[in-house]
Amino acid sequence: MTRFGLLVIVSLSCFSLLGCKLGTLGGSMGSVEEPSDLAVGSVSSSQLIISWTDNSESEDGYTVERAPDENGSAGTWAAVVQLGANVENYTDSSLDEGTTYWYRVFSRSDEQGDSQKLGPKSGTTRLAEPTTPSLTAPSSTTVEFTWTDNSAKEDGFKIERADDDSGSPGSWVEIDSVGQNIEIFNDSGLTSGNTYWYRVYAYASGYEDSNYTSQASVTTP
């Protein structure tokens, strides 16, 4: 064999070896195709949903990584879950209210190596929603509406009311708001013998509003 032929074989062997080695690190020659379109959305005060597009036909699964927010950037990354093939979303739970988290995702393949990491992308949980709405009608023109404040970050609460429509709420209208830590609202100027529906949610500047309480109704005497 000539020196030229030997050089070609050695070069090709090194190139092949390098490709395999880089492939195991992800995001390089020989690795499985990476996902795309990473999105993070708030579900509640303790849940965020992470979604992406599966672009591979040969992945063994996906790994989701999360990092705390540190002054607008991702802190230390840690894997939170390993999912199976063809999965395109994950709901991360047991999070803190009104808190920002960062996420990234990559596809895994035992044969081809991990893909590049998609992200980072951040999302912020909602304010904690109020609960246990309760209604009484102390007079023919007044309704007392109470709830439980579960948020530590709210600026206040916004109250919505709807007229009854055959046993269900009609169109909702915001009728008033109350300040931080308040758990009661008195609605007056109503009509005797009418049924009214109520719901409330927490709000704060710089945060996404909480989910609504469950709907509750009462009929004035």
Side-chain angles (χ1 to χ4, degrees):
M1 181 180 295
T2 66
R3 291 180 61 189
F4 177 75
L6 179 61
L7 177 61
V8 169
I9 292 173
V10 171
S11 298
L12 290 175
S13 298
C14 292
F15 180 82
S16 176
L17 178 60
L18 180 61
C20 293
K21 181 60 176 176
L22 289 177
T24 64
L25 298 178
S28 50
M29 187 175 302
S31 61
V32 68
E33 189 167 3
E34 69 191 86
S36 60
D37 306 317
L38 181 63
V40 182
S42 60
V43 178
S44 69
S45 61
S46 62
Q47 293 181 314
L48 292 170
I49 185 167
I50 302 92
S51 62
W52 57 90
T53 299
D54 174 8
N55 295 315
S56 174
E57 295 182 355
S58 58
E59 84 280 358
D60 293 318
Y62 290 91
T63 296
V64 178
E65 296 182 330
R66 182 183 69 210
D69 182 75
E70 293 185 0
N71 300 316
S73 300
T76 303
W77 291 99
V80 293
V81 70
Q82 289 193 344
L83 305 168
N86 304 320
V87 177
E88 293 184 304
N89 63 78
Y90 171 70
T91 300
D92 196 12
S93 303
S94 300
L95 305 176
D96 294 328
E97 173 198 19
T99 301
T100 299
Y101 298 89
W102 292 82
Y103 293 89
R104 60 189 185 187
V105 179
F106 63 91
S107 48
R108 306 185 317 274
S109 172
D110 293 338
E111 293 185 359
Q112 295 175 271
D114 298 340
S115 75
Q116 290 184 352
K117 294 182 179 181
L118 175 65
K121 191 89 169 183
S122 67
T124 304
T125 53
R126 295 175 178 267
L127 295 177
E129 65 193 73
T131 54
T132 59
S134 178
L135 297 169
T136 58
S139 76
S140 61
T141 59
T142 303
V143 165
E144 183 179 273
F145 181 24
T146 63
W147 57 88
T148 299
D149 173 9
N150 296 311
S151 176
K153 299 183 177 182
E154 89 280 357
D155 290 335
F157 298 90
K158 295 187 178 182
I159 297 97
E160 294 185 353
R161 183 184 70 209
D163 292 332
D164 184 73
D165 183 6
S166 301
S168 299
S171 299
W172 289 100
V173 177
E174 183 181 315
I175 58 172
D176 212 336
S177 62
V178 296
Q180 186 181 49
N181 301 325
I182 295 177
E183 297 179 308
I184 187 171
F185 173 73
N186 287 296
D187 192 16
S188 58
L190 304 176
T191 301
S192 176
N194 278 11
T195 298
Y196 299 94
W197 292 81
Y198 293 84
R199 63 186 185 183
V200 62
Y201 65 92
Y203 73 94
S205 176
Y207 295 99
E208 190 166 355
D209 296 340
S210 78
N211 292 326
Y212 287 104
T213 58
S214 56
Q215 303 165 356
S217 65
V218 66
T219 301
T220 54

